[in-house]
Amino acid sequence: MSKVLNQMPNLSRRHVLGSAGLLGLFAAMPGYARAMATGDFGLIRAQVEDYVASKKVAGMLVSLGFGAQEAALIGAGNLALDIPTPVDANSLWRVYSMTKPIAGMAAMILVDQGKLKLDQPIADFIPEFANMKVLTDPAKNLDAVPAKTMITPRHLMTHTAGLGYNIVTKGPLLEEYNKLGINPAAVSKTPIPGFPMPAPTPPIDEFARRVASLPLIAEPGTIWSYSIGLDLLGYVIQVASGMELGAFLQKAMFDPLGMTSSYWTVPQSEVPRLSTNYAPFAGALIPIDPAQDSIFTTPPAFPFGGAGLVSSARDYDRFLGMLVGKGQLGGTRIMSEATALLGMSNLLPDTAVTKGTWVEDQGFGAGGRVGLGNAKGPAGTYGWGGAAGTVAFVDHVRGIRASGFTQYMPAESYPFQREFPKMIYDQLQAMG
């Protein structure tokens, strides 16, 4: 055991010896620490290189770390088909919905500070949400009745508030969302065939008022329905902290953790590090957001808490490292251990139904999926993916953190995102 610990100088003995789960992993996978030093990641490397060699993607990068060790990087390909710059730890990727766990944990910092409670009405911060209504027949019309339950931060971060999302909502409510610019996301500066252009997204305060003016698709707390909840949570964070979401994250998370490459707007000086986003079509890759003219070089209406960040593998790994460290990284603590564990636990209301959804037989925490110790995921896992194929998770019981980066839409075009956890655990098992 001492030999293994000596190979991990950045991981404190107290942290290791205080975790029975981590000790179990050492016993089950004695080759893992050695493999980290030698770069023996054959299973992952073969899959990453195959994606690039078969021209499914321009570039792909996987980051894998254990405890407080520096992450290993397995990558292939370039930032774009027409940019011969190899992908690396500092390459910039549109992480889209991988912003959600970051926004969720920002709210948990406020919970830790006593400025926010999981189950208090968000109407305490945004009065327009005091008298919400619920649709009686979402598929047919906007007829609605008064809601019985007030929306809370727990509802927003677990997608149980009854809010919609223009990527999943249908019917009359979707029409209203598009008409009112309730579309907190950016894809391209040019129209994409088959995707209607919604009205411009308004500033965050007006965005919140417009959302509050529309009925909900379900009674808060009753169903899991993917939503704009984390974007609205960004405004709750703003009111509770007195700082815009982007400024709050910079002060409370990015600066303390040394996350120096996470942007809501990519500066022109950093564009040479930015990847190009593609749409696979008929065996070819069609550029839909070229790096040189990316929509992410234009400031958004507000920092989208649900899908707004561009980040690097190095930066996102530091966020994941904080989660594995249960609220701290490298001696810098940004929230208590209890609060970090709470954010990574199953926060779904007992009344919420998940059957038939993306998270059936799983839990959901502060903006990310939670494993419940069944076939869908090991207990102690927490994470989420993004619309352009990126994916990340931590296993805080076993001390694992993993993230995958590439750029293509829709994410369902390939199985990379869906199969990522299995790829990681298969690799770890092969090392053991």
Side-chain angles (χ1 to χ4, degrees), residues 368-385:
R369 186 195 321 264
V370 171
L372 299 179
N374 54 30
K376 294 289 185 70
T381 53
Y382 162 89
W384 200 236

mmCIF file with all atom_site columns, all heavy atoms in Angstrom, residues 368-385:
data_model
loop_
_atom_site.group_PDB
_atom_site.id
_atom_site.type_symbol
_atom_site.label_atom_id
_atom_site.label_alt_id
_atom_site.label_comp_id
_atom_site.label_asym_id
_atom_site.label_entity_id
_atom_site.label_seq_id
_atom_site.pdbx_PDB_ins_code
_atom_site.Cartn_x
_atom_site.Cartn_y
_atom_site.Cartn_z
_atom_site.occupancy
_atom_site.B_iso_or_equiv
_atom_site.pdbx_formal_charge
_atom_site.auth_seq_id
_atom_site.auth_comp_id
_atom_site.auth_asym_id
_atom_site.auth_atom_id
_atom_site.pdbx_PDB_model_num
ATOM 1   N N   . GLY A 1 368 ? -26.687 17.537 -12.312 1.00 0.00 ? 368 GLY A N   1
ATOM 2   C CA  . GLY A 1 368 ? -26.083 16.371 -12.938 1.00 0.00 ? 368 GLY A CA  1
ATOM 3   C C   . GLY A 1 368 ? -26.730 15.075 -12.513 1.00 0.00 ? 368 GLY A C   1
ATOM 4   O O   . GLY A 1 368 ? -27.334 14.967 -11.437 1.00 0.00 ? 368 GLY A O   1
ATOM 5   N N   . ARG A 1 369 ? -26.593 14.066 -13.366 1.00 0.00 ? 369 ARG A N   1
ATOM 6   C CA  . ARG A 1 369 ? -27.112 12.727 -13.114 1.00 0.00 ? 369 ARG A CA  1
ATOM 7   C C   . ARG A 1 369 ? -26.349 12.080 -11.953 1.00 0.00 ? 369 ARG A C   1
ATOM 8   O O   . ARG A 1 369 ? -25.131 12.228 -11.811 1.00 0.00 ? 369 ARG A O   1
ATOM 9   C CB  . ARG A 1 369 ? -26.930 11.899 -14.385 1.00 0.00 ? 369 ARG A CB  1
ATOM 10  C CG  . ARG A 1 369 ? -27.545 10.520 -14.367 1.00 0.00 ? 369 ARG A CG  1
ATOM 11  C CD  . ARG A 1 369 ? -27.004 9.648  -15.500 1.00 0.00 ? 369 ARG A CD  1
ATOM 12  N NE  . ARG A 1 369 ? -26.808 10.363 -16.771 1.00 0.00 ? 369 ARG A NE  1
ATOM 13  C CZ  . ARG A 1 369 ? -27.685 10.391 -17.756 1.00 0.00 ? 369 ARG A CZ  1
ATOM 14  N NH1 . ARG A 1 369 ? -28.831 9.735  -17.650 1.00 0.00 ? 369 ARG A NH1 1
ATOM 15  N NH2 . ARG A 1 369 ? -27.423 11.048 -18.868 1.00 0.00 ? 369 ARG A NH2 1
ATOM 16  N N   . VAL A 1 370 ? -27.070 11.298 -11.146 1.00 0.00 ? 370 VAL A N   1
ATOM 17  C CA  . VAL A 1 370 ? -26.478 10.631 -9.980  1.00 0.00 ? 370 VAL A CA  1
ATOM 18  C C   . VAL A 1 370 ? -26.718 9.129  -10.079 1.00 0.00 ? 370 VAL A C   1
ATOM 19  O O   . VAL A 1 370 ? -27.849 8.684  -10.308 1.00 0.00 ? 370 VAL A O   1
ATOM 20  C CB  . VAL A 1 370 ? -27.093 11.177 -8.672  1.00 0.00 ? 370 VAL A CB  1
ATOM 21  C CG1 . VAL A 1 370 ? -26.648 10.338 -7.475  1.00 0.00 ? 370 VAL A CG1 1
ATOM 22  C CG2 . VAL A 1 370 ? -26.712 12.640 -8.478  1.00 0.00 ? 370 VAL A CG2 1
ATOM 23  N N   . GLY A 1 371 ? -25.662 8.329  -9.938  1.00 0.00 ? 371 GLY A N   1
ATOM 24  C CA  . GLY A 1 371 ? -25.797 6.883  -9.935  1.00 0.00 ? 371 GLY A CA  1
ATOM 25  C C   . GLY A 1 371 ? -26.347 6.382  -8.615  1.00 0.00 ? 371 GLY A C   1
ATOM 26  O O   . GLY A 1 371 ? -25.984 6.896  -7.546  1.00 0.00 ? 371 GLY A O   1
ATOM 27  N N   . LEU A 1 372 ? -27.210 5.383  -8.686  1.00 0.00 ? 372 LEU A N   1
ATOM 28  C CA  . LEU A 1 372 ? -27.858 4.849  -7.485  1.00 0.00 ? 372 LEU A CA  1
ATOM 29  C C   . LEU A 1 372 ? -27.372 3.455  -7.114  1.00 0.00 ? 372 LEU A C   1
ATOM 30  O O   . LEU A 1 372 ? -27.979 2.784  -6.288  1.00 0.00 ? 372 LEU A O   1
ATOM 31  C CB  . LEU A 1 372 ? -29.384 4.829  -7.690  1.00 0.00 ? 372 LEU A CB  1
ATOM 32  C CG  . LEU A 1 372 ? -30.043 6.180  -7.940  1.00 0.00 ? 372 LEU A CG  1
ATOM 33  C CD1 . LEU A 1 372 ? -31.543 6.004  -8.144  1.00 0.00 ? 372 LEU A CD1 1
ATOM 34  C CD2 . LEU A 1 372 ? -29.759 7.162  -6.804  1.00 0.00 ? 372 LEU A CD2 1
ATOM 35  N N   . GLY A 1 373 ? -26.280 3.012  -7.740  1.00 0.00 ? 373 GLY A N   1
ATOM 36  C CA  . GLY A 1 373 ? -25.748 1.707  -7.397  1.00 0.00 ? 373 GLY A CA  1
ATOM 37  C C   . GLY A 1 373 ? -26.462 0.556  -8.071  1.00 0.00 ? 373 GLY A C   1
ATOM 38  O O   . GLY A 1 373 ? -26.515 -0.547 -7.538  1.00 0.00 ? 373 GLY A O   1
ATOM 39  N N   . ASN A 1 374 ? -27.001 0.814  -9.260  1.00 0.00 ? 374 ASN A N   1
ATOM 40  C CA  . ASN A 1 374 ? -27.653 -0.245 -10.033 1.00 0.00 ? 374 ASN A CA  1
ATOM 41  C C   . ASN A 1 374 ? -26.998 -0.333 -11.406 1.00 0.00 ? 374 ASN A C   1
ATOM 42  O O   . ASN A 1 374 ? -25.927 0.227  -11.636 1.00 0.00 ? 374 ASN A O   1
ATOM 43  C CB  . ASN A 1 374 ? -29.157 0.018  -10.149 1.00 0.00 ? 374 ASN A CB  1
ATOM 44  C CG  . ASN A 1 374 ? -29.470 1.406  -10.716 1.00 0.00 ? 374 ASN A CG  1
ATOM 45  O OD1 . ASN A 1 374 ? -28.704 1.963  -11.498 1.00 0.00 ? 374 ASN A OD1 1
ATOM 46  N ND2 . ASN A 1 374 ? -30.594 1.974  -10.320 1.00 0.00 ? 374 ASN A ND2 1
ATOM 47  N N   . ALA A 1 375 ? -27.638 -1.027 -12.329 1.00 0.00 ? 375 ALA A N   1
ATOM 48  C CA  . ALA A 1 375 ? -27.055 -1.221 -13.660 1.00 0.00 ? 375 ALA A CA  1
ATOM 49  C C   . ALA A 1 375 ? -26.877 0.092  -14.420 1.00 0.00 ? 375 ALA A C   1
ATOM 50  O O   . ALA A 1 375 ? -26.074 0.166  -15.355 1.00 0.00 ? 375 ALA A O   1
ATOM 51  C CB  . ALA A 1 375 ? -27.931 -2.182 -14.470 1.00 0.00 ? 375 ALA A CB  1
ATOM 52  N N   . LYS A 1 376 ? -27.618 1.123  -14.033 1.00 0.00 ? 376 LYS A N   1
ATOM 53  C CA  . LYS A 1 376 ? -27.526 2.414  -14.722 1.00 0.00 ? 376 LYS A CA  1
ATOM 54  C C   . LYS A 1 376 ? -26.337 3.258  -14.255 1.00 0.00 ? 376 LYS A C   1
ATOM 55  O O   . LYS A 1 376 ? -25.989 4.236  -14.902 1.00 0.00 ? 376 LYS A O   1
ATOM 56  C CB  . LYS A 1 376 ? -28.826 3.201  -14.524 1.00 0.00 ? 376 LYS A CB  1
ATOM 57  C CG  . LYS A 1 376 ? -30.060 2.582  -15.179 1.00 0.00 ? 376 LYS A CG  1
ATOM 58  C CD  . LYS A 1 376 ? -29.990 2.706  -16.686 1.00 0.00 ? 376 LYS A CD  1
ATOM 59  C CE  . LYS A 1 376 ? -31.263 2.212  -17.361 1.00 0.00 ? 376 LYS A CE  1
ATOM 60  N NZ  . LYS A 1 376 ? -32.423 3.086  -17.140 1.00 0.00 ? 376 LYS A NZ  1
ATOM 61  N N   . GLY A 1 377 ? -25.743 2.907  -13.118 1.00 0.00 ? 377 GLY A N   1
ATOM 62  C CA  . GLY A 1 377 ? -24.607 3.690  -12.645 1.00 0.00 ? 377 GLY A CA  1
ATOM 63  C C   . GLY A 1 377 ? -24.212 3.364  -11.228 1.00 0.00 ? 377 GLY A C   1
ATOM 64  O O   . GLY A 1 377 ? -25.076 3.147  -10.374 1.00 0.00 ? 377 GLY A O   1
ATOM 65  N N   . PRO A 1 378 ? -22.891 3.317  -10.943 1.00 0.00 ? 378 PRO A N   1
ATOM 66  C CA  . PRO A 1 378 ? -22.416 3.048  -9.584  1.00 0.00 ? 378 PRO A CA  1
ATOM 67  C C   . PRO A 1 378 ? -22.823 4.154  -8.616  1.00 0.00 ? 378 PRO A C   1
ATOM 68  O O   . PRO A 1 378 ? -22.931 5.325  -9.004  1.00 0.00 ? 378 PRO A O   1
ATOM 69  C CB  . PRO A 1 378 ? -20.893 2.995  -9.743  1.00 0.00 ? 378 PRO A CB  1
ATOM 70  C CG  . PRO A 1 378 ? -20.648 2.815  -11.200 1.00 0.00 ? 378 PRO A CG  1
ATOM 71  C CD  . PRO A 1 378 ? -21.784 3.470  -11.899 1.00 0.00 ? 378 PRO A CD  1
ATOM 72  N N   . ALA A 1 379 ? -23.056 3.793  -7.371  1.00 0.00 ? 379 ALA A N   1
ATOM 73  C CA  . ALA A 1 379 ? -23.289 4.799  -6.342  1.00 0.00 ? 379 ALA A CA  1
ATOM 74  C C   . ALA A 1 379 ? -22.053 5.677  -6.223  1.00 0.00 ? 379 ALA A C   1
ATOM 75  O O   . ALA A 1 379 ? -20.921 5.200  -6.321  1.00 0.00 ? 379 ALA A O   1
ATOM 76  C CB  . ALA A 1 379 ? -23.593 4.122  -5.014  1.00 0.00 ? 379 ALA A CB  1
ATOM 77  N N   . GLY A 1 380 ? -22.255 6.970  -6.045  1.00 0.00 ? 380 GLY A N   1
ATOM 78  C CA  . GLY A 1 380 ? -21.131 7.896  -5.932  1.00 0.00 ? 380 GLY A CA  1
ATOM 79  C C   . GLY A 1 380 ? -20.771 8.592  -7.224  1.00 0.00 ? 380 GLY A C   1
ATOM 80  O O   . GLY A 1 380 ? -19.855 9.417  -7.244  1.00 0.00 ? 380 GLY A O   1
ATOM 81  N N   . THR A 1 381 ? -21.487 8.294  -8.308  1.00 0.00 ? 381 THR A N   1
ATOM 82  C CA  . THR A 1 381 ? -21.194 8.947  -9.583  1.00 0.00 ? 381 THR A CA  1
ATOM 83  C C   . THR A 1 381 ? -22.121 10.140 -9.791  1.00 0.00 ? 381 THR A C   1
ATOM 84  O O   . THR A 1 381 ? -23.281 10.136 -9.381  1.00 0.00 ? 381 THR A O   1
ATOM 85  C CB  . THR A 1 381 ? -21.331 7.975  -10.768 1.00 0.00 ? 381 THR A CB  1
ATOM 86  O OG1 . THR A 1 381 ? -22.620 7.335  -10.720 1.00 0.00 ? 381 THR A OG1 1
ATOM 87  C CG2 . THR A 1 381 ? -20.244 6.915  -10.704 1.00 0.00 ? 381 THR A CG2 1
ATOM 88  N N   . TYR A 1 382 ? -21.579 11.153 -10.448 1.00 0.00 ? 382 TYR A N   1
ATOM 89  C CA  . TYR A 1 382 ? -22.308 12.400 -10.701 1.00 0.00 ? 382 TYR A CA  1
ATOM 90  C C   . TYR A 1 382 ? -21.700 13.057 -11.930 1.00 0.00 ? 382 TYR A C   1
ATOM 91  O O   . TYR A 1 382 ? -20.477 13.144 -12.046 1.00 0.00 ? 382 TYR A O   1
ATOM 92  C CB  . TYR A 1 382 ? -22.172 13.325 -9.480  1.00 0.00 ? 382 TYR A CB  1
ATOM 93  C CG  . TYR A 1 382 ? -22.501 14.782 -9.730  1.00 0.00 ? 382 TYR A CG  1
ATOM 94  C CD1 . TYR A 1 382 ? -23.798 15.268 -9.595  1.00 0.00 ? 382 TYR A CD1 1
ATOM 95  C CD2 . TYR A 1 382 ? -21.499 15.689 -10.077 1.00 0.00 ? 382 TYR A CD2 1
ATOM 96  C CE1 . TYR A 1 382 ? -24.086 16.617 -9.802  1.00 0.00 ? 382 TYR A CE1 1
ATOM 97  C CE2 . TYR A 1 382 ? -21.777 17.032 -10.293 1.00 0.00 ? 382 TYR A CE2 1
ATOM 98  C CZ  . TYR A 1 382 ? -23.075 17.485 -10.153 1.00 0.00 ? 382 TYR A CZ  1
ATOM 99  O OH  . TYR A 1 382 ? -23.374 18.814 -10.370 1.00 0.00 ? 382 TYR A OH  1
ATOM 100 N N   . GLY A 1 383 ? -22.536 13.496 -12.861 1.00 0.00 ? 383 GLY A N   1
ATOM 101 C CA  . GLY A 1 383 ? -22.026 14.195 -14.037 1.00 0.00 ? 383 GLY A CA  1
ATOM 102 C C   . GLY A 1 383 ? -23.087 14.372 -15.093 1.00 0.00 ? 383 GLY A C   1
ATOM 103 O O   . GLY A 1 383 ? -24.250 13.996 -14.911 1.00 0.00 ? 383 GLY A O   1
ATOM 104 N N   . TRP A 1 384 ? -22.675 14.924 -16.221 1.00 0.00 ? 384 TRP A N   1
ATOM 105 C CA  . TRP A 1 384 ? -23.619 15.196 -17.309 1.00 0.00 ? 384 TRP A CA  1
ATOM 106 C C   . TRP A 1 384 ? -22.849 15.391 -18.597 1.00 0.00 ? 384 TRP A C   1
ATOM 107 O O   . TRP A 1 384 ? -21.614 15.491 -18.595 1.00 0.00 ? 384 TRP A O   1
ATOM 108 C CB  . TRP A 1 384 ? -24.461 16.431 -16.978 1.00 0.00 ? 384 TRP A CB  1
ATOM 109 C CG  . TRP A 1 384 ? -25.748 16.571 -17.741 1.00 0.00 ? 384 TRP A CG  1
ATOM 110 C CD1 . TRP A 1 384 ? -26.133 17.638 -18.505 1.00 0.00 ? 384 TRP A CD1 1
ATOM 111 C CD2 . TRP A 1 384 ? -26.842 15.639 -17.801 1.00 0.00 ? 384 TRP A CD2 1
ATOM 112 N NE1 . TRP A 1 384 ? -27.390 17.428 -19.028 1.00 0.00 ? 384 TRP A NE1 1
ATOM 113 C CE2 . TRP A 1 384 ? -27.854 16.208 -18.611 1.00 0.00 ? 384 TRP A CE2 1
ATOM 114 C CE3 . TRP A 1 384 ? -27.049 14.383 -17.252 1.00 0.00 ? 384 TRP A CE3 1
ATOM 115 C CZ2 . TRP A 1 384 ? -29.047 15.559 -18.894 1.00 0.00 ? 384 TRP A CZ2 1
ATOM 116 C CZ3 . TRP A 1 384 ? -28.252 13.724 -17.521 1.00 0.00 ? 384 TRP A CZ3 1
ATOM 117 C CH2 . TRP A 1 384 ? -29.237 14.312 -18.338 1.00 0.00 ? 384 TRP A CH2 1
ATOM 118 N N   . GLY A 1 385 ? -23.558 15.436 -19.719 1.00 0.00 ? 385 GLY A N   1
ATOM 119 C CA  . GLY A 1 385 ? -22.947 15.639 -21.021 1.00 0.00 ? 385 GLY A CA  1
ATOM 120 C C   . GLY A 1 385 ? -23.405 16.931 -21.667 1.00 0.00 ? 385 GLY A C   1
ATOM 121 O O   . GLY A 1 385 ? -24.244 17.655 -21.123 1.00 0.00 ? 385 GLY A O   1
#
